[in-house]
Amino acid sequence: MNFASDNASPAHPSVIEALATANEGYAMPYGADPTMERVRTKIRDLFEAPEAAVYLVPTGTSANALALACYCPPWAAIFCHRNAHIEEDECGAPEFYTNGAKLTLVDGEDARMTPEALDAAIAFTGRGGIHNVQRGMVSITNSTENGAVYTPEMVGALSGVAKEYGLPVHMDGARFANALVAAEASPAEMTWKAGIDVLSFGGTKNGLMGVEAVVLFDPEKAWEFEMRRKRAGHLFSKHRYLAAQMDAYLSDDLWRAMARDANASARRLSEGILEIPGASLLHPTEANAVFAAWPRDGHRRAQENGAHYYLWPMNQSLEGPGDEMLAARLVCSWSTTAEDIDRFLDLIRG
Amino acid sequence: MNFASDNASPAHPSVIEALATANEGYAMPYGADPTMERVRTKIRDLFEAPEAAVYLVPTGTSANALALACYCPPWAAIFCHRNAHIEEDECGAPEFYTNGAKLTLVDGEDARMTPEALDAAIAFTGRGGIHNVQRGMVSITNSTENGAVYTPEMVGALSGVAKEYGLPVHMDGARFANALVAAEASPAEMTWKAGIDVLSFGGTKNGLMGVEAVVLFDPEKAWEFEMRRKRAGHLFSKHRYLAAQMDAYLSDDLWRAMARDANASARRLSEGILEIPGASLLHPTEANAVFAAWPRDGHRRAQENGAHYYLWPMNQSLEGPGDEMLAARLVCSWSTTAEDIDRFLDLIRG
Amino acid sequence: MNFASDNASPAHPSVIEALATANEGYAMPYGADPTMERVRTKIRDLFEAPEAAVYLVPTGTSANALALACYCPPWAAIFCHRNAHIEEDECGAPEFYTNGAKLTLVDGEDARMTPEALDAAIAFTGRGGIHNVQRGMVSITNSTENGAVYTPEMVGALSGVAKEYGLPVHMDGARFANALVAAEASPAEMTWKAGIDVLSFGGTKNGLMGVEAVVLFDPEKAWEFEMRRKRAGHLFSKHRYLAAQMDAYLSDDLWRAMARDANASARRLSEGILEIPGASLLHPTEANAVFAAWPRDGHRRAQENGAHYYLWPMNQSLEGPGDEMLAARLVCSWSTTAEDIDRFLDLIRG
Amino acid sequence: MNFASDNASPAHPSVIEALATANEGYAMPYGADPTMERVRTKIRDLFEAPEAAVYLVPTGTSANALALACYCPPWAAIFCHRNAHIEEDECGAPEFYTNGAKLTLVDGEDARMTPEALDAAIAFTGRGGIHNVQRGMVSITNSTENGAVYTPEMVGALSGVAKEYGLPVHMDGARFANALVAAEASPAEMTWKAGIDVLSFGGTKNGLMGVEAVVLFDPEKAWEFEMRRKRAGHLFSKHRYLAAQMDAYLSDDLWRAMARDANASARRLSEGILEIPGASLLHPTEANAVFAAWPRDGHRRAQENGAHYYLWPMNQSLEGPGDEMLAARLVCSWSTTAEDIDRFLDLIRG
């Protein structure tokens, strides 16, 4: 019963198999191997973007920070939600990679920016001429840190605001697959057709060991991306092992199958929790994360019986009246089983 | 017959097995898993350094750049050989990570700095007070980019110069194993006993998929290292897959066995080449790389029959008189076979 | 009638005289001249801080950014008011100089942070361990961007919060003199006795051509400051001309006299405006800036007759009903005359 | 008798007068004053460059570093002479401002690069594809750190090499006036007609208090320059005092007159020294600096009688045999008098 994070889950067995296969003999380093060629084609096909530049990096933070650095000058602002991963969980990586761009925070329920709040933030930033930082770019996290999903229409509305100001738009898709299957959209609809210029296309949280693709729909910045990646130490010499993971991910629609399983697990968990008297959701369960509150007694039973997850916020205490509601974050992955969920629900129901 | 680089070679099969084993069930992310705990202990034991801080990163460039950034302020110089990997092959990663430290280049045969040249470079840098960049640190590559090995005595002589100026010393050990077995030294003798403060302990070129350890013999900078690693996107969430590789590497002395094999292959290759009339070595063959010249005809035959390696410098041409000497770099790895070597030698001998 | 900014005003005539005097003969460059020695002593005496390190730089932005960079690592947060000059008017200089520290914004009336809001912001930032940026330092602007003044007690309350977290505290004193005379405090009471570690001690806005002192009450960071200043191009070779300005500033209490005049002008202006029916203050007039609203007709008459100042916010329009209230910012300096004020008041009264 | 540096000399009296004049009344800040408008026009006229973007900054280091940062990406190399000011005397400012570009050093007598050496350095840098830093730009110092002058033809030859590789060219003209009058060239001939893209046009060393212009002959990078300047704290609020200095400098050809005087003083000094038996020049005296060796006895007499200058290198000792030759650097400025020179020559002749 581990709902601590999707990054606590294992990789899919076919990923390990792919690594074993990729390990035969010699291969050209630095992405010049045939597997990477295949991956590039698959991603271009998948996104209906035959010109896109496609790169692999090992972590979500490197994907995001490199993507942002290619599109935002040091003296500009990146507009993102107040709870975005790039703001809260990357220890300043965007600032490091951009050489000091400023993250300007936008509000909105469920960690989703509203077009109105985004517009206000951009308008405010640009009012001071040379004295302010300039308007730089917009970054949208999908699914959000609170487990909500932007539909293509919502993405398009935000991009529309950005485009009015001439700003490029990044999507942090560490959980892109979860958002996509939830929205029942195509990769193209969710990205470039909705105004996205550059995508961090996550794999790690969704069943890989550690690979994210960065997709630049307009290849104009491709060379700059390569320079920044190399200079950051994110160009792998034995690149075939990144490519092999992504190749397995994109084979037989594995990536969407895993996301569907994770989302379905979250729904099952969410619905089960809501059956508890007094229980409630902090955010709607739209992807693979559940934010819910239930009585402290239930938390105690679960944790005493080995369930792993975070109270949310973390500084709540298990000590205290048993019927008080405590909130928690529960994250499902492809490897979450119905048995684990049901056992967990039994425990928290008491 | 692939001698292009040790990074074109596959990982050792036991590394893939270790990944498969590590893939069972859930694991705490970000290095809090038990495998990492075991790796830390193994490296501390191996280096007789019970206090050392030990971290894993995916690439040699990230290992070097992070290590340098912890010990060299932005306004100082890193003294390294003119042909060091950090100068020639990392696209400015040390400058990026240090926020602009200056690499000051030192000469010496076979890409080995001499203590005299190092001393002169340090003395010169410090002469201008506040106007110059300051004296920062020293970085030693072992084995060198030209396949030469510093013995512990040689390392100690360079460190001794550095210490006279109060400077910390880094060792770029992307090929540390090759140097160590060549020098028949212990890890401690080659590092902290010889004055090394921080080591990039390579695994990727020597049979792993993509892992390097950074060993800080004095843990004072440990927290800063963690901050810099996280902020650079080099902290893996599913960190167990880095740890598993390194764990396999250090089991049953695999890492030294692979390095011994690679070095032995290089010797066999080197000796075979020298039997060719007119052939010569550009640098002594001390580790796993051979820098040698032989007649152009031999190059043509080898390359027409599928041998992969780089002419050195690369801009030489296969077109021209057949008896003219052309130089090349040939790199061996754990996976190089005697058969491949002998076949190659047959081809270049004609 | 120029109330656009204190930086539109001229330097005090004695400053020009001091420059002429300093221009005699040769002088050691880079701050090694005797005038700088005198300035250092004067500032140490003034602040009752005999150990303080004292440096001169040409602009407020350089003073702030260099001071912050010495005390805040790249992976940490600088806590400041949402309307602080370092956030709104320096085009990302703090981010540039710190190599990417994050400005975390704190609320409070009149651009004054409250201790409660500061405490909440710091507590929130530190909750995420290695994933968040770390708690770095606090920066207080006195007088504030809205013309309010922190008393030493208020400064001490904020510093107290900072110290609970072990954080250093910077004061942006671009208008330090205005705050000091308003609070009737001594320089020491307003700074190190109230917990300030490093001060940007402004001169430019208060009657100099372009000089700010940075005072590090603990000289531990002095050498680092010198390195950063040099490397940023802010170490003047003909440094005597900075020193001469500051020397004149500190002679015969000129600096406080000018600030008293500016503050008195602001009070006269503020009181005059409030006599207009319907007029009101946006912020209390505590230093040399007035934020007030009065009828549009009055604005029209003033601007048609050559008065210079900014509507606040700037995007308001002079077109529209004459009795509607429009807000403005009016800044006084040492050179503001009672005649100008009275003429202006006559115009806006109609 | 002060030959320590041209930055130890005073400003020309007309500069102080100009400051006094500029100090009348209010002026728009940040360069929007009429004096700056006049300066811009004067510089455009002077350089026959009606489209050029013209900015003022306070120091040579800021002029150079900002200019370089606009034209060289972080992952590229700036090719300059081994003894260039940007390499030796700016404490890493180019690296800081460019976010880590690499200075790649080129040799040549008298601190003048040769086209051949420049070509070799550029060719070598570009050989490694993505692994090397890329070819970025060329920076030429005129007059050089050794007092030599590039003629327009020499500049054109270097620019020609740069242009073959598509690289922009910067001129560090901290002593541009000295070079120009020595070469008897027009400003246009020495710069854009000879392939210069951006010029640091020095004033400080040649009779100003502290102002340099940066001239971007193609205004494409103008906005970026403004952003970088602001963000670095080099945009003066009371900008009129920079403009007034530059205005005086360019009036009545004062700038060239001062440079001619300085150069003539250097010649007089140089010729006088060469009359001493055994004396010699280390570098030809082409601008305002003399590098010469004469007997130690002469040095002792001069220094005992109050002459200020640097032995070159500085670590030579006045102790030792009186007839041994010691080398020195002597720098003249507009304020050097024939009396001082002759008195100095008398002393060193003995």
Side-chain angles (χ1 to χ4, degrees), chain C residues 94-117:
Chain C
E95 289 91 340
F96 174 48
Y97 276 80
T98 60
N99 194 22
K102 187 186 285 288
L103 271 61
T104 293
L105 307 181
V106 179
D107 288 309
E109 294 288 304
D110 308 321
R112 261 189 299 233
M113 294 185 280
T114 64
E116 296 71 28

Side-chain angles (χ1 to χ4, degrees), chain C residues 280-282 290-296 299 309-314 316 324-330:
Chain C
S280 64
L281 295 182
L282 282 69
V290 180
F291 292 78
W294 65 87
R296 184 182 274 117
H299 287 283
Y309 62 93
Y310 290 108
L311 295 180
W312 204 257
M314 294 185 190
Q316 299 172 96
E324 202 175 26
M325 298 288 141
L326 290 194
R329 186 189 78 162
L330 305 165

Side-chain angles (χ1 to χ4, degrees), chain B residues 75 86-92 95-96 99-103 124 127 130-133, chain D residues 75 86-92 95-96 99-103 124 127 130-133:
Chain B
W75 49 83
I86 60 172
E87 164 66 11
E88 294 213 323
D89 289 295
E90 300 187 351
C91 197
E95 288 92 340
F96 174 49
N99 193 23
K102 188 187 282 290
L103 272 61
F124 183 80
R127 80 200 180 290
I130 201 172
H131 302 292
N132 281 166
V133 295
Chain D
W75 48 84
I86 60 172
E87 165 66 11
E88 294 213 322
D89 289 295
E90 300 186 351
C91 198
E95 289 91 340
F96 175 47
N99 194 22
K102 187 187 283 290
L103 272 62
F124 183 78
R127 80 201 178 292
I130 202 172
H131 303 291
N132 280 166
V133 295

